[in-house]
Amino acid sequence: MIKKTLSACVLTALSALTALSAHADPLSYARYDQVRTTDLYLDLKADFNHKILSGYAELTLNWIDKNARTLVLDTNELNIAKVQVLAANGRWTAASFMLDKLDVEKGRALRIALPFQPQKVRVYYRTAPSAAALQWMAPEQTMSGKRPFMFSQSEEINARSWAPVQDTPAVRFTYSARIDAPAGLRVVMSAENDQKATGAGGWKFKMTQPIPSYLLAIAIGEIEVRNLGPRSAVYAEAPRIEAAAYELADTEKMIAAAESLYGPYRWDRYDMIVLPPSFPYGGMENPRLTFLTPTMIAGDRSLVDLIAHELAHSWSGNLVTNASWKYMWLNEGFTTYVTTRIVEKLYGEEVAEMNLQVEQEEALASLATIPSAKQVLATRGPDTDPSAYSDGGLIYPKGAWFLRTLEQRAGRDVFDPFLRGWFDQHAFKSATTEEFVDYLKKNLLDAHPEYMAQAELDEWLYAPGIPTNAKRAASPRLAALDAQRTAWLKGELPTAELNGKSWIALEWMHFLNDIDGKTTAAQMQELDQAFGLAKSGNNEIAYRFYLSSVKAGYNVREPLNKFLMSVGRQRFVVPLYTALLKNPADKDWAKSVYVKARTHYHPITQAAVDKAFKK
């Protein structure tokens, strides 16, 4: 779409500028070497009937290049009505703009031609019902079945589908908002949430710490809140709020444990919201309001390591952010390492060691399915090819394994202050692999080259797989379990003699991981009859049991149907459908379930399952 007021010569100049520009982040059109957003104000109305947000975004700008006269923003499916700039006399005046041709992955660049360098720009727009970041849920998709619900998922580059922004983690900004929503629905955002607010005059928010765009988050629905401690609370739908509050009771202890390791929590409050089942991920570390899947509610607090992971992001990811998604291991690898340290602090070394062993075993097992080019933590050279990024799943445990290797060699007395220094010195900044390597050498390896030679450092960062000399976690409890599992698989140990009734969730996850694809239908049936696994309230256990059962040919259709209809977490749903489709006897049944379940899934999950069915 081209504004008629934009002259042909300006369009030509803009196109030439585009061709000449060199981006540090290939997934963003923004020229943040010329101008950066320092603050964002959103004034939006939520329309559930049409599934849109409409209003305006006001961006405060810091002009770096004094000769620049173009502001380029990222958008995707945004309908732009008009653009205004704040003139020196305090008046808002119209500005010319154009939208580039659509790129399926990146959306459209919004190019605003400016006669001068304004401090503020306003973009009036509305989102599309199909906005990639927003899921609009009908009442029947919620727990009460009475009112609709909407929530966002902006990571990695979907913020541009609900706000015109410089959608790159290289740019950080503060933000505030006023959101109009239907009466009876609460609005919450990744910002200060006033528990006493009523929404009269709009729901108002303010985030005083600068964040990257992928941490912009919003949810609207029948939401209640319960305080967990002086600086933590949980939000959820009314039928789930008490269970959520019970499950998350240790949150304040987790914050204190993380602070004792890595310094003060710098986001004032750590609140969480348990979203409807269609939320596609385990958690999303939106600052001040972590988004959580209800699949972590097990009734016995056995899956709270997920909370430890999202809390850890308050240091690694939210505080120190990858400068582009090429450096994602700086977010996720660091966070996975910090998570284990928090778990150890709270629940002891034995539980942490089991957690670590399961994590490492799953990482090694995943190598068989990941192309070697995507098994690296980092890539050298220009950041030009998004498809060359490391596999999203492997960077979590591999990055953590790398940091643990350094910790083991340096000792915690040395490594803990080193890591805290990284967070302190780069707080509220975006970082690259090269910057971390430079920090690592100056603050650790230059004085102690014996900790890690350059060749090994390069192997961890730039080579596929896990280095052969990487020390593996070895839990005595899991070793005892392994002996039982091996004997059981061989038929030498009766199912009734397994110690399953005393196993914690981590032990069951380890056991089920290791029998996957190795059992008979009769063995799975015996397990189910002895331990009631098909009815497990722990979704991590239930998922693994269903997956192994499908592969073994054990009929779990009744509980699996309920699971697929009520759980929308992508990590569970996609492998289950994939396993069902590989078995000719289950293929038609899987299709019949998906026809009913699809509307309950997030668009991200729908796309992944659709892809599995097309294969």
Side-chain angles (χ1 to χ4, degrees):
M1 182 180 73
I2 302 175
K3 265 295 195 188
K4 294 179 181 178
T5 54
L6 195 61
S7 67
C9 62
V10 172
L11 288 179
T12 303
L14 287 176
S15 298
L17 183 63
T18 304
L20 291 172
S21 66
H23 301 293
D25 184 348
L27 296 180
S28 174
Y29 294 107
R31 291 299 308 270
Y32 50 90
D33 58 330
Q34 297 180 347
V35 57
R36 289 188 174 229
T37 305
T38 58
D39 185 71
L40 172 70
Y41 172 70
L42 295 172
D43 194 299
L44 300 172
K45 180 179 181 179
D47 182 343
F48 279 84
N49 291 328
H50 297 95
K51 298 181 179 180
I52 62 171
L53 295 173
S54 61
Y56 69 87
E58 181 178 303
L59 296 89
T60 301
L61 306 170
N62 175 33
W63 291 90
I64 300 165
D65 182 347
K66 300 307 177 185
N67 295 316
R69 291 295 183 272
T70 305
L71 173 64
V72 185
L73 301 176
D74 294 302
T75 76
N76 196 1
E77 291 195 287
L78 297 185
N79 187 310
I80 310 298
K82 63 181 179 180
V83 177
Q84 295 180 333
V85 298
L86 184 63
N89 61 7
R91 294 182 179 178
W92 291 94
T93 60
S96 299
F97 68 90
M98 66 171 282
L99 281 167
D100 282 3
K101 183 179 178 180
L102 175 67
D103 178 281
V104 175
E105 184 176 29
K106 296 193 293 182
R108 300 176 187 264
L110 170 61
R111 304 184 186 279
I112 304 169
L114 302 165
F116 60 96
Q117 294 186 331
Q119 183 188 9
K120 294 180 183 290
V121 170
R122 279 183 181 174
V123 180
Y124 290 79
Y125 69 98
R126 69 174 183 270
T127 63
S130 55
L134 306 178
Q135 184 175 19
W136 300 85
M137 303 176 65
E140 58 267 25
Q141 293 175 287
T142 68
M143 292 192 75
S144 73
K146 297 177 182 178
R147 301 297 302 276
F149 201 107
M150 185 272 276
F151 64 86
S152 66
Q153 173 56 34
S154 295
E155 191 183 24
E156 283 101 355
I157 60 168
N158 288 331
R160 65 191 69 181
S161 72
W162 69 284
V165 291
Q166 293 180 307
D167 197 10
T168 168
V171 175
R172 305 177 72 104
F173 51 84
T174 55
Y175 84 89
S176 56
R178 192 191 73 85
I179 310 294
D180 281 322
L185 300 183
R186 176 188 286 272
V187 183
V188 291
M189 294 189 76
S190 54
E192 294 177 10
N193 287 281
D194 181 359
Q195 294 184 10
K196 297 179 181 178
T198 63
W203 297 85
K204 298 179 178 65
F205 305 93
K206 190 173 185 179
M207 169 55 92
T208 57
Q209 293 92 350
I211 64 165
S213 56
Y214 76 89
L215 295 176
L216 275 175
I218 185 171
I220 306 174
E222 287 186 295
I223 300 169
E224 293 194 6
V225 60
R226 293 287 185 277
N227 283 308
L228 303 170
R231 52 180 171 172
S232 59
V234 61
Y235 294 81
E237 294 175 274
R240 184 171 276 127
I241 190 68
E242 298 303 335
Y246 173 81
E247 204 78 15
L248 301 171
D250 286 341
T251 298
E252 204 70 38
K253 295 178 184 176
M254 284 191 177
I255 301 172
E259 286 184 316
S260 71
L261 292 166
Y262 305 114
Y265 178 77
R266 307 191 195 204
W267 302 90
D268 300 321
R269 288 190 60 85
Y270 184 74
D271 294 339
M272 297 158 285
I273 179 170
V274 179
L275 291 167
S278 60
F279 182 59
Y281 304 118
M284 179 62 210
E285 63 272 16
N286 300 309
R288 298 183 65 108
L289 190 67
T290 283
F291 281 25
L292 295 172
T293 171
T295 63
M296 55 73 56
I297 297 179
D300 58 3
R301 300 173 183 162
S302 58
L303 297 178
V304 291
D305 60 319
L306 173 64
I307 310 305
H309 181 90
E310 303 310 332
L311 172 64
H313 269 300
S314 300
W315 285 264
S316 48
N318 296 5
L319 189 64
V320 185
T321 305
N322 47 224
S324 83
W325 297 108
K326 171 182 177 178
Y327 311 110
M328 190 176 180
W329 79 278
L330 293 175
N331 280 23
E332 299 298 353
F334 278 57
T335 294
T336 305
Y337 170 82
V338 171
T339 299
T340 300
R341 296 296 305 278
I342 295 173
V343 168
E344 179 183 325
K345 195 90 173 174
L346 280 178
Y347 304 113
E349 187 175 344
E350 186 178 52
V351 172
E353 192 75 6
M354 283 195 288
N355 196 64
L356 197 58
Q357 183 176 331
V358 172
E359 174 187 298
Q360 292 178 353
E361 287 172 346
E362 290 182 348
L364 292 169
S366 74
L367 296 178
T369 62
I370 302 172
S372 60
K374 292 194 174 186
Q375 294 180 12
V376 300
L377 282 180
T379 56
R380 288 189 171 102
D383 190 4
T384 57
D385 181 10
S387 67
Y389 297 167
S390 173
D391 179 81
L394 185 60
I395 59 176
Y396 291 66
K398 185 177 180 179
W401 209 332
F402 165 57
L403 294 177
R404 182 172 171 83
T405 300
L406 289 170
E407 173 222 303
Q408 288 170 330
R409 295 178 185 176
R412 288 184 175 179
D413 288 345
V414 172
F415 189 75
D416 285 356
F418 161 84
L419 191 56
R420 176 171 174 172
W422 168 253
F423 296 141
D424 288 343
Q425 293 179 35
H426 298 81
F428 299 108
K429 295 178 182 177
S430 300
T432 67
T433 298
E434 291 73 23
E435 286 173 317
F436 175 71
V437 170
D438 182 62
Y439 175 84
L440 173 63
K441 290 180 177 178
K442 287 182 179 177
N443 293 278
L444 196 64
L445 298 186
D446 284 352
H448 298 280
E450 71 276 12
Y451 292 163
M452 185 171 288
Q454 183 67 47
E456 186 183 1
L457 176 60
D458 289 345
E459 185 180 7
W460 272 108
L461 295 177
Y462 306 114
I466 306 294
T468 55
N469 67 342
K471 186 177 179 181
R472 294 179 62 169
S475 160
R477 277 176 61 171
L478 292 187
L481 185 154
D482 289 342
Q484 284 207 337
R485 181 205 66 239
T486 300
W488 178 78
L489 282 172
K490 291 178 179 179
E492 298 169 356
L493 181 71
T495 303
E497 294 183 20
L498 287 171
N499 293 333
K501 293 190 183 299
S502 65
W503 292 344
I504 65 171
L506 269 172
E507 289 169 297
W508 270 114
M509 289 159 62
H510 175 73
F511 178 85
L512 291 168
N513 281 345
D514 286 348
I515 68 169
D516 187 33
K518 302 173 184 177
T519 61
T520 64
Q523 286 175 311
M524 297 307 297
Q525 183 178 14
E526 286 184 9
L527 273 182
D528 194 12
Q529 290 172 344
F531 304 107
L533 298 179
K535 297 180 180 179
S536 174
N538 185 306
N539 286 282
E540 292 281 357
I541 293 173
Y543 155 69
R544 287 167 172 82
F545 177 73
Y546 297 146
L547 191 63
S548 292
S549 295
V550 169
K551 293 178 181 180
Y554 173 52
N555 187 345
V556 287
R557 286 188 178 182
E558 184 179 347
L560 180 54
N561 178 69
K562 292 179 181 178
F563 188 88
L564 291 171
M565 289 295 297
S566 62
V567 171
R569 188 173 175 183
Q570 189 176 10
R571 188 169 69 85
F572 295 161
V573 169
V574 176
L576 285 169
Y577 279 113
T578 301
L580 288 165
L581 291 173
K582 287 182 178 179
N583 186 347
D586 289 325
K587 193 170 183 179
D588 289 341
W589 182 79
K591 289 180 179 179
S592 68
V593 174
Y594 187 47
V595 167
K596 295 180 293 182
R598 190 178 188 277
T599 58
H600 295 276
Y601 297 154
H602 190 279
I604 292 173
T605 306
Q606 290 176 354
V609 180
D610 288 349
K611 187 177 179 181
F613 272 93
K614 286 178 183 177
K615 286 183 178 180

